Amino acid sequence: METVATAVEREPRTYLNVDHTLKSWLLTEDHKRIGILYLIVITIFFAIGGLFAALIRIELTTPAGDLVESSVYNRLFTGHGIIMVFFFLIPSIPASLGNFLIPLMIGAKDVAFPKLNLLSWYLYVIGGSMALTAIIYGGIDTGWTFYVPFSTGYASGMVMLTLVGIFINGFSSILTGLNFMVTIHRMRAPGMTWFRLPLFIWSLYSTSLIQVLATPVVAVTLLLAALERGLHIGIFDPALGGDPVLFQHLFWFYSHPAVYIMILPAMGVTSEIISTFSKKEPFGYSFIALSSLAIAVFGFIVWGHHLFVSSQSVYAGMVFSILSYLVAIPSAIKVFNWVSTMYKGSVELTTPMLYGIGFIGLFTIGGLTGLFLASMGMDVHLTDTYFVIAHFHYIMVGGAIMGFMGGLHFWWPKITGKLYSETWARLSAIIIFLGFNLTFFPQFILGYMGMPRRYHVYAPEFQVFNVLSSAGASVLGLGYALPLVYFLWSIFFGKKAPANPWGATGLEWQIQSPPLPENFEITPVITEAPYHYAPSEEVVHVG
Amino acid sequence: MEQKSIQFFPEQASTIAHSVDGLYLYLVLVTAFFSILIATLIVIFAVKYRRRADTPTPKAVHGGLWLEITWSVIPLGLSMVMFAWGASIFFTESRPPADSMEIYVTGKQWMWKIQHMEGQREINELHIPVNRDIKLTMTSEDVIHDFYVPAFRTKSDVLPGRYTTEWFHATKTGAYHIFCAEYCGTKHSGMIGTVYVMEPQQFDAWLSGGGGTGTLAQKGEALFSQLGCVTCHQATADVKGRCPNLHGIWGRPQQLTTGASVTVDAGYVSESILNPSAKIVAGYENIMPTFSGLVTAEGVTELVEYVKSIGPAPGAPGSAPAPAAKGAPAAKGAPAAKAAPAATVKP
Amino acid sequence: MSNHPDHIVPVRVYIFVFLALMVFTVLTVYAATIDLGRYNIVLALVIACIKASLVIMFFMHVYYSSKLTKAIVIAGLCTLMILFFFTLTDLATRGALQGTTDWVGVPGR
Amino acid sequence: MASHSVTLRHHFENAEQQKDASTIGMWMFLVTEIMFFGGLFMAYIAYRGAYPEAFAAGSEKLNIVYGTINTLVLICSSLTMAMAVHSAAVGKKKMIVLFLILTLILGGVFLGIKAVEYHDKYVGHEIPGVNFHPEIDGHPNVAVQNVSLYFALYFGMTGLHAMHMIVGVGMISFLIFKASRGAYTAEWHTPVELFGLYWHFVDIVWIFLFPLLYLIDLHQGR
């Protein structure tokens, strides 16, 4: 990694240059190195998932199925779904940025169980390679939701290998969540009370809560589906009296909280970025913190809005519909508080801030379109159409990936000790923002016109918007390619990063970048609230 | 569908289409309002409070409880309107009116098989009269499908092992898309069709024109004897055979050996055909063989219609000396005379 | 109870809890032989819950351990109840309005 | 508490923080296990509600004596495990090994009985998917398919439980090996304690499995 050997003595000891052997990387117990290992594998999976997305968009420029056959198209969108959901979005922020930053931000030397942390990475790699082998051997055509009885009786391809791969990957998520919760509970620096924690830690704590409580249910559900497909013991087989809707209940019991696993860390990153680049304490700190927890808790009682039309009873539908609106309130509180933080701040539009603002705008649209789908009468028309595709891409790409990119840019100097080039980064942020909107906004209109999702061949009147969407996808693809270039460039040729390039107040910015292997020479003692920009006596009290 | 200018809305061809579009408009307005509000605020603050060399460090702002409450209560209020409006639409959508015209739909991997009461069979096409409540009773032979007509704004999953219903009241004639909206395999995007909404006269002409070999109930009766059901279940009311008599049992509670009672409906009759040992009528043994594998989904619907059409026993209350099968749906325009010779139907 | 991390639980407590569990096991088997109709399952679950809480409280020292441990146990059980309760709101009332009932058997299979 | 003999990991401030962290970590792991079994219990509730007679018919084929003995065996193993943790806490190294061996034996007995039961099921053609045709004559209102649901759940739940037992037996042997070398002192016996939590959890799962699977409608007489 380092250039000239002689330079090593002059350089301070960091977690990067303390040891260069491959073994030191592959058997490391240092949370920072494990965070980087995750970052590398996550980027690979993001590239693969993005490739599938590109192929899908190319195919959908024409109503007829003329690029690939239907069976291949089904494998494309299944591959895109599985890779993006299970192997990119869920581990992206918690496992890479979370692993790297949680001990730094709470003043700890490492996470609570370092060996378990390394095991989680290996489980993630093993699960990922199993799913990848299934895809290389032709992929599967079940869709990322594995609905029964299709996935257990009629699907083709190595479905069981994929199911077991996701099952193993699920344990990586569970153990990471467990590790973070124990770390945050028991390893905070002296004086770091709960309400002195940075908001990023609050959002990761809520994420870990969901990871620990929800993931096991989908683990057992996918295991049952694999057993039913392999051994023909019909748990969900309607011919034996099994209930396919029970599978949907157990699947969505996890998969809805899973979307909060994806968005909560991005919210945490945005709280940090907005506060740093407005040079102001976040407005309503405790409201933002508690709404993270509220989202995590409410996230468990709303999954039924995925089943409105799947012969779920009307009464259950009503219960789930009204509760789905409750879960929207904390998100609204967060958005309003972020914007109020910028009020009377001193705003600096660096790249992370661009991603932060982009996140707020797109997440607002994504969240509000979710309210369409929570209303039962509207959902009957809109579910399983491109409206749903647009909604969750606004949340996941507009929200989670914007947050991930923002966090990556914000903490890049701390992780690598190098500065990336601001101009290129701002350019790619704007390209991503424009490309994203051009890709997914037309899909709202497609959805209301009734174009169903997962369609290889579609009616001719939908073509106009599909062409717009495919055009946007190419711009988005370019936008995502740029960071790869200038980040790699910055590792080798970037300027040396100071300890605190952005003037932020977090604990992680008080130490050298890249940090020491043991993070802090002496464990810091916390005496005042976080985000301490202005002297504490000049505080304005609003009614 | 002729190629019109760019559409943003599917046609409004059913009664609930207007209210669904109204709710859509309300939701779009709320979304547009808040998105624009947030976007403009961000741009204003980003420009107005941009960091200049001389700006002092901004002071921290605490408190603001009332502000937080207002921007929690207002979104909650708006949401409850969305919930109530959506729930009311869903409520009307999930309760088919009693007198609606019944049509059976069977989803099979990558085609829609439709059976009219008058015996017409269609693949991937559905002819219905305009301004009439139509109720679809749907089931699937393999995986989960979803019968979705964007122009009517209705969709409902079609599950194997269960009947699900969907109803609509077409208000505009024309041809509209049918899509399968639940991923069901390779030709999922090919499992499409067309709904032809026709004037009542046209519909009747079409109905009688089709080479119908008797109503669904009559086909059911033919199948009833062909499969040998008639040997046990005598159509005549008086003989108490080894099997429960099917006279007039439709809609009435049936006492089971476990003491529980179940009302005779499409689900119970289908289950008794495909899986007889699941529910045994009180006073009878579990001797009926299973017919699953021997009868297709259309056959099951025909038998269900036949059981529905067997009138109560002549002496039994409520029975009328019906010349034609009592339960045969007298679709308004269906010429009753066309029924098959009375002999086979006389109870 | 004190938050002393390593509270030594006296042996007699273990013996007492052990005997209680034995008695409850015999009780639940015996209770199953009496016909209480629908309440058989309720009684069986009540006894099982008592036995489980005995094991949790005394064998697993939760009675003596920190509030955080108790909170974790409660959080787990509440999530489980959420799963059961909300799934049953659907399963118990399915088809109540549309009048469609489940049936066993798929034609042609 | 003298911490010189405790192997303190570098990132912990003191031994108490390390022990507290590992106890909480273990409890969170047990919560994930609760949810893991919870998915199966949900399927059980759903299907027992839908097909009560089929579950009664299926449950009739199980051997109550084996089930009861297994429950008593597991409760005894819970006691011996608790005593092992107790003797570790008071520093009686010999007793730790004794009680762990007792727990191992009881675990083995449980798995042995389970193996016998599974064999009986195999002989009685009660394993779904493997030419499944159990004799359920006494019950009129029962479809064979629904009984296969019962047995699918039976094998799912008890199979998963048995796997947890096998993992437990494996870990006990490791603990016995370490304890016999005197690794666990009064100051540091966290592995024994954490394994105790795991073992008691597995016992609790069986406490619920036994009545739910074996004791359905016993009153109709076998």
Side-chain angles (χ1 to χ4, degrees):
Chain A
M1 290 300 249
E2 290 319 302
T3 50
V4 176
T6 54
V8 172
E9 293 85 17
R10 282 198 307 290
E11 248 176 82
R13 205 166 58 88
T14 73
Y15 76 99
L16 287 172
N17 62 22
V18 77
D19 192 341
H20 295 294
T21 61
L22 189 63
K23 183 168 136 342
S24 75
W25 276 94
L26 292 181
L27 296 177
T28 176
E29 284 183 19
D30 180 354
H31 65 102
K32 300 182 282 300
R33 287 189 169 217
I34 292 176
I36 290 181
L37 289 176
Y38 266 110
L39 195 57
I40 296 166
V41 182
I42 278 165
T43 315
I44 295 168
F45 275 122
F46 182 54
I48 298 169
L51 187 72
F52 280 120
L55 288 172
I56 292 169
R57 277 315 333 160
I58 295 168
E59 167 58 69
L60 288 180
T61 41
T62 59
D66 38 27
L67 180 71
V68 287
E69 280 130 26
S70 290
S71 61
V72 174
Y73 179 77
N74 295 342
R75 287 154 205 270
L76 284 182
F77 74 70
T78 303
H80 175 67
I82 290 174
I83 296 261
M84 282 306 202
V85 167
F86 291 110
F87 298 105
F88 171 65
L89 279 169
I90 286 178
S92 64
I93 298 182
S96 60
L97 295 178
N99 252 322
F100 191 91
L101 290 164
I102 287 184
L104 296 181
M105 283 176 148
I106 60 171
K109 291 191 175 58
D110 205 320
V111 282
F113 311 112
K115 288 195 174 70
L116 197 67
N117 210 5
L118 185 62
L119 172 68
S120 306
W121 184 73
Y122 275 104
L123 289 176
Y124 172 56
V125 168
I126 292 165
S129 44
M130 289 172 87
L132 221 53
T133 15
I135 284 172
I136 288 163
Y137 277 89
I140 58 176
D141 62 349
T142 58
W144 79 276
T145 43
F146 294 105
Y147 270 12
V148 180
F150 180 72
S151 66
T152 52
Y154 298 81
S156 56
M158 303 171 117
V159 176
M160 281 179 68
L161 181 63
T162 316
L163 286 173
V164 172
I166 294 169
F167 174 81
I168 291 173
N169 178 48
F171 280 99
S172 153
S173 188
I174 293 171
L175 297 178
T176 308
L178 185 146
N179 217 332
F180 287 170
M181 283 183 83
V182 176
T183 309
I184 295 169
H185 265 294
R186 276 298 174 263
M187 302 188 62
R188 284 169 280 143
M192 177 79 86
T193 64
W194 276 93
F195 282 92
R196 285 185 181 159
L197 282 172
L199 287 171
F200 183 60
I201 300 298
W202 273 97
S203 66
L204 278 174
Y205 180 78
S206 318
T207 311
S208 311
L209 188 73
I210 304 175
Q211 282 177 318
V212 164
L213 288 174
T215 318
V217 175
V218 81
V220 76
T221 313
L222 294 184
L223 199 64
L224 286 177
L227 287 179
E228 177 164 338
R229 184 179 167 86
L231 309 176
H232 308 298
I233 53 161
I235 297 272
F236 303 115
D237 179 2
L240 303 177
D243 183 1
V245 183
L246 178 65
F247 173 87
Q248 291 175 22
H249 272 293
L250 291 172
F251 179 81
W252 287 111
F253 175 82
Y254 162 72
S255 296
H256 190 79
V259 305
Y260 294 115
I261 294 176
M262 298 170 199
I263 198 66
L264 270 169
M267 288 175 170
V269 167
T270 307
S271 303
E272 298 291 328
I273 289 175
I274 298 295
S275 160
T276 304
F277 293 103
S278 309
K279 220 171 179 31
K280 189 161 164 280
E281 188 188 315
F283 182 84
Y285 165 90
S286 46
F287 287 95
I288 295 181
L290 294 178
S291 62
S292 286
L293 273 182
I295 287 176
V297 170
F298 284 140
F300 275 96
I301 52 177
V302 293
W303 78 82
H305 55 238
H306 297 277
L307 288 99
F308 283 149
V309 287
S310 71
S311 85
Q312 177 180 243
S313 83
V314 177
Y315 304 114
M318 283 183 165
V319 166
F320 283 120
S321 177
I322 201 164
L323 291 174
S324 299
Y325 283 109
L326 289 189
V327 85
I329 303 305
S331 305
I333 290 174
K334 273 183 182 269
V335 168
F336 288 122
N337 277 314
W338 286 326
V339 177
S340 315
T341 308
M342 290 175 67
Y343 175 67
K344 280 212 169 71
S346 97
V347 177
E348 186 190 6
L349 289 181
T350 57
T351 318
M353 189 53 166
L354 286 183
Y355 279 114
I357 299 173
F359 172 90
I360 299 175
L362 299 180
F363 172 71
T364 305
I365 298 174
L368 289 168
T369 47
L371 301 186
F372 286 63
L373 301 167
S375 151
M376 294 161 78
M378 198 76 252
D379 186 68
V380 165
H381 178 54
L382 291 182
T383 190
D384 278 329
T385 66
Y386 260 78
F387 195 92
V388 173
I389 304 271
H391 159 66
F392 71 69
H393 277 92
Y394 258 81
I395 298 272
M396 289 198 207
V397 182
I401 296 185
M402 278 284 206
F404 178 58
M405 299 296 261
L408 214 53
H409 285 82
F410 184 53
W411 281 296
W412 187 259
K414 186 55 65 181
I415 294 173
T416 60
K418 294 289 170 55
L419 288 174
Y420 58 84
S421 103
E422 253 319 291
T423 46
W424 276 103
R426 285 186 191 158
L427 179 69
S428 81
I430 292 161
I431 290 175
I432 287 175
F433 184 82
L434 297 177
F436 168 82
N437 278 305
L438 182 58
T439 311
F440 291 111
F441 198 82
Q443 292 183 357
F444 281 125
I445 302 162
L446 275 178
Y448 201 77
M449 285 171 62
M451 173 175 175
R453 63 191 287 195
R454 296 171 170 174
Y455 257 41
H456 174 224
V457 176
Y458 54 83
E461 67 258 30
F462 299 134
Q463 178 169 18
V464 175
F465 297 108
N466 272 301
V467 168
L468 280 174
S469 183
S470 297
S474 49
V475 174
L476 192 58
L478 170 72
Y480 283 134
L482 284 176
L484 200 65
V485 173
Y486 62 75
F487 273 142
L488 288 177
W489 181 86
S490 80
I491 289 178
F492 300 103
F493 309 106
K495 289 198 298 301
K496 189 86 186 61
N500 195 348
W502 316 110
T505 59
L507 263 183
E508 76 275 18
W509 298 108
Q510 320 304 334
I511 53 173
Q512 64 174 51
S513 46
L516 292 166
E518 66 279 2
N519 299 348
F520 301 91
E521 282 101 2
I522 48 133
T523 311
V525 178
I526 315 301
T527 50
E528 73 232 330
Y531 311 109
H532 193 71
Y533 293 99
S536 51
E537 57 280 0
E538 297 168 11
V539 169
V540 171
H541 282 282
V542 175
Chain B
M1 277 75 62
E2 71 289 355
Q3 189 54 34
K4 290 193 286 297
S5 64
I6 297 178
Q7 284 173 305
F8 288 90
F9 277 70
E11 284 149 69
Q12 297 183 333
S14 79
T15 46
I16 56 151
H18 299 283
S19 41
V20 169
D21 286 356
L23 174 59
Y24 182 67
L25 201 60
Y26 166 69
L27 285 160
V28 166
L29 287 181
V30 167
T31 307
F33 171 74
F34 280 106
S35 307
I36 293 164
L37 171 75
I38 299 287
T40 38
L41 280 181
I42 288 176
V43 169
I44 292 169
F45 293 160
V47 170
K48 190 155 183 281
Y49 302 109
R50 66 187 177 284
R51 186 172 297 177
R52 285 179 285 274
D54 54 1
T55 49
T57 326
K59 298 189 201 37
V61 179
H62 285 179
L65 181 63
W66 282 107
L67 204 55
E68 301 280 353
I69 291 172
T70 44
W71 62 43
S72 305
V73 166
I74 294 172
L76 191 63
L78 292 171
S79 305
M80 285 310 113
V81 172
M82 296 173 193
F83 160 71
W85 194 339
S88 69
I89 294 175
F90 191 80
F91 213 75
T92 47
E93 248 175 348
S94 55
R95 278 175 310 134
D99 64 350
S100 45
M101 170 177 157
E102 270 219 37
I103 296 175
Y104 283 92
V105 175
T106 307
K108 184 177 183 307
Q109 244 170 349
W110 309 311
M111 73 174 85
W112 293 107
K113 294 189 284 186
I114 290 158
Q115 293 166 277
H116 289 265
M117 299 305 265
E118 292 75 16
Q120 250 66 28
R121 280 201 181 174
E122 299 180 276
I123 304 278
N124 290 349
E125 281 181 4
L126 175 61
H127 291 77
I128 52 170
V130 73
N131 292 330
R132 193 150 190 294
D133 295 336
I134 311 287
K135 173 185 170 188
L136 304 181
T137 306
M138 307 182 289
T139 181
S140 155
E141 282 188 20
D142 35 47
V143 293
I144 300 175
H145 302 280
D146 189 300
F147 195 85
Y148 173 42
V149 183
F152 298 158
R153 308 288 190 280
T154 64
K155 85 160 45 78
S156 176
D157 271 14
V158 179
L159 293 143
R162 176 172 309 135
Y163 280 114
T164 50
T165 58
E166 181 180 343
W167 81 278
F168 41 75
H169 178 109
T171 52
K172 232 167 73 178
T173 58
Y176 309 109
H177 283 298
I178 302 174
F179 292 130
C180 170
E182 182 57 60
Y183 177 65
C184 58
T186 312
K187 289 276 183 305
H188 166 57
S189 48
M191 193 171 169
I192 52 178
T194 329
V195 185
Y196 296 99
V197 184
M198 308 150 81
E199 295 302 334
Q201 302 79 4
Q202 277 178 324
F203 175 69
D204 297 334
W206 173 81
L207 202 58
S208 52
T213 58
T215 69
L216 214 53
Q218 284 147 358
K219 285 191 188 144
E221 189 190 359
L223 195 58
F224 191 76
S225 45
Q226 179 206 333
L227 289 173
C229 321
V230 75
T231 52
C232 294
H233 300 286
Q234 277 80 12
T236 56
D238 43 19
V239 171
K240 176 134 181 22
R242 290 171 293 125
C243 307
N245 197 304
L246 303 180
H247 264 273
I249 60 169
W250 184 265
R252 289 219 188 80
Q254 191 75 326
Q255 202 62 26
L256 302 182
T257 48
T258 60
S261 84
V262 62
T263 53
V264 176
D265 62 359
Y268 171 67
V269 172
S270 311
E271 183 177 35
S272 309
I273 296 168
L274 297 170
N275 208 325
S277 50
K279 293 187 171 67
I280 309 292
V281 176
Y284 292 91
E285 285 76 32
N286 175 9
I287 50 168
M288 174 171 172
T290 171
F291 284 87
S292 78
L294 304 170
V295 62
T296 66
E298 292 86 352
V300 171
T301 27
E302 282 161 10
L303 289 169
V304 164
E305 278 310 308
Y306 173 65
V307 169
K308 193 193 282 186
S309 69
I310 306 172
S319 77
K326 184 179 75 58
K332 243 205 304 301
K338 204 184 70 44
T344 56
V345 171
K346 189 176 64 58
Chain C
M1 289 301 291
S2 75
N3 192 4
H4 175 58
D6 230 354
H7 189 280
I8 311 290
V9 177
V11 178
R12 55 181 165 69
V13 169
Y14 286 151
I15 303 298
F16 173 72
V17 165
F18 170 70
L19 294 177
L21 288 173
M22 284 299 192
V23 164
F24 277 118
T25 308
V26 171
L27 190 68
T28 193
V29 173
Y30 170 70
T33 51
I34 344 162
D35 183 0
L36 305 163
R38 282 203 323 267
Y39 293 104
N40 258 89
I41 177 78
V42 172
L43 181 61
L45 281 177
V46 163
I47 296 174
C49 287
I50 294 168
K51 287 166 71 176
S53 40
L54 274 178
V55 171
I56 290 177
M57 281 304 175
F58 298 103
F59 280 174
M60 298 169 104
H61 301 233
V62 166
Y63 186 74
Y64 310 100
S65 54
S66 64
K67 280 206 290 298
L68 180 63
T69 314
K70 295 184 173 95
I72 293 169
V73 172
I74 291 162
L77 296 176
C78 288
T79 317
L80 197 61
M81 289 312 128
I82 286 175
L83 170 65
F84 292 162
F85 175 73
F86 283 99
T87 314
L88 285 176
T89 53
D90 172 34
L91 294 178
T93 60
R94 181 162 305 160
L97 212 58
Q98 301 101 323
T100 54
T101 50
D102 286 6
W103 97 73
V104 172
V106 178
R109 260 226 345 256
Chain D
M1 206 174 56
S3 66
H4 54 77
S5 72
V6 174
T7 51
L8 179 61
R9 299 279 285 114
H10 71 91
H11 56 285
F12 283 111
E13 295 308 317
N14 52 48
E16 195 211 344
Q17 183 195 27
Q18 175 173 301
K19 174 143 189 348
D20 210 6
S22 37
T23 313
I24 290 166
M26 191 61 196
W27 268 107
M28 283 189 195
F29 172 69
L30 292 184
V31 163
T32 63
E33 290 278 7
I34 290 176
M35 293 311 295
F36 193 62
F37 279 95
L40 279 173
F41 279 100
M42 186 63 239
Y44 173 89
I45 294 170
Y47 289 138
R48 179 163 180 186
Y51 312 108
E53 289 87 24
F55 269 55
S59 164
E60 234 175 61
K61 311 300 289 177
L62 300 188
N63 183 324
I64 300 298
V65 174
Y66 283 155
T68 317
I69 295 172
N70 263 346
T71 313
L72 301 177
V73 159
L74 262 194
I75 290 173
C76 298
S77 73
S78 250
L79 175 70
T80 52
M81 191 63 223
M83 291 309 293
V85 171
H86 176 78
S87 29
V90 298
K92 299 197 189 96
K93 295 195 177 167
K94 288 280 172 297
M95 299 299 283
I96 305 175
V97 178
L98 172 69
F99 279 119
L100 282 179
I101 289 172
L102 273 177
T103 314
L104 179 64
I105 292 162
L106 289 166
V109 166
F110 177 88
L111 285 173
I113 295 176
K114 238 11 232 150
V116 168
E117 276 186 270
Y118 280 177
H119 177 70
D120 294 350
K121 300 283 174 303
Y122 177 72
V123 165
H125 301 295
E126 284 144 8
I127 303 178
V130 178
N131 65 51
F132 177 75
H133 55 273
E135 309 85 19
I136 39 158
D137 38 22
H139 287 261
N141 266 57
V142 162
V144 178
Q145 295 90 323
N146 305 131
V147 179
S148 88
L149 277 185
Y150 171 79
F151 279 107
L153 275 175
Y154 169 79
F155 282 105
M157 293 164 127
T158 52
L160 194 63
H161 178 267
M163 257 199 304
H164 279 79
M165 288 289 291
I166 292 165
V167 166
V169 162
M171 278 151 60
I172 292 184
S173 350
F174 173 71
L175 286 183
I176 291 170
F177 168 70
K178 288 287 287 269
S180 60
R181 303 253 306 278
Y184 303 120
T185 65
E187 291 78 29
W188 185 72
H189 51 276
T190 318
V192 180
E193 225 177 271
L194 297 190
F195 178 77
L197 296 181
Y198 172 81
W199 191 258
H200 293 307
F201 169 78
V202 171
D203 178 26
I204 289 171
V205 171
W206 181 261
I207 284 175
F208 280 99
L209 282 186
F210 175 58
L212 291 181
L213 286 172
Y214 285 79
L215 305 178
I216 309 174
D217 298 340
L218 209 54
H219 47 74
Q220 280 160 359
R222 286 274 194 256

